[in-house]
Amino acid sequence: NGQGTWMAGEITDYILDQQMGFALDGDFNSVEVDFAIEAGGARCVVRQRANIRFKGVAKIAGLLAKGRIRAQMLADLKKLKALCELG
């Protein structure tokens, strides 16, 4: 759809059923993302921490699109949470 970019990286942290972390790098930014999964009774709590560093001209675009990026991350987190609750 022309609204994405490819990123490559590595898993930086992994504990089965508890947490997972990634370090990703692309043309426009670098990202460190950590997910923590916690049992909360009948619910599953998924927490996400992300550190996004934009490169070059993308730094300006990142400032302008901050709200949109945050909304997309929250939508992705809801999808991940739904997947975790399937099991």
Side-chain angles (χ1 to χ4, degrees), residues 21-74:
F22 302 92
L24 305 169
D25 190 61
D27 292 336
F28 304 106
N29 60 359
S30 296
V31 181
E32 295 172 2
V33 183
D34 296 307
F35 296 96
I37 303 165
E38 304 166 4
R43 300 183 64 181
C44 176
V45 177
V46 180
R47 300 187 193 283
Q48 176 185 5
R49 183 195 60 82
N51 182 14
I52 303 170
R53 290 178 309 280
F54 290 97
K55 300 177 181 178
V57 178
K59 288 180 183 179
I60 297 168
L63 291 173
L64 298 174
K66 191 174 185 177
R68 184 172 165 213
I69 293 168
R70 186 175 198 29
Q72 180 63 52
M73 289 178 70
L74 289 173

Side-chain angles (χ1 to χ4, degrees), residues 10-14 19-23 33-35:
E10 61 186 22
I11 296 171
T12 57
D13 185 25
Y14 179 77
Q19 62 193 43
M20 180 172 34
F22 302 92
V33 183
D34 296 307
F35 296 96

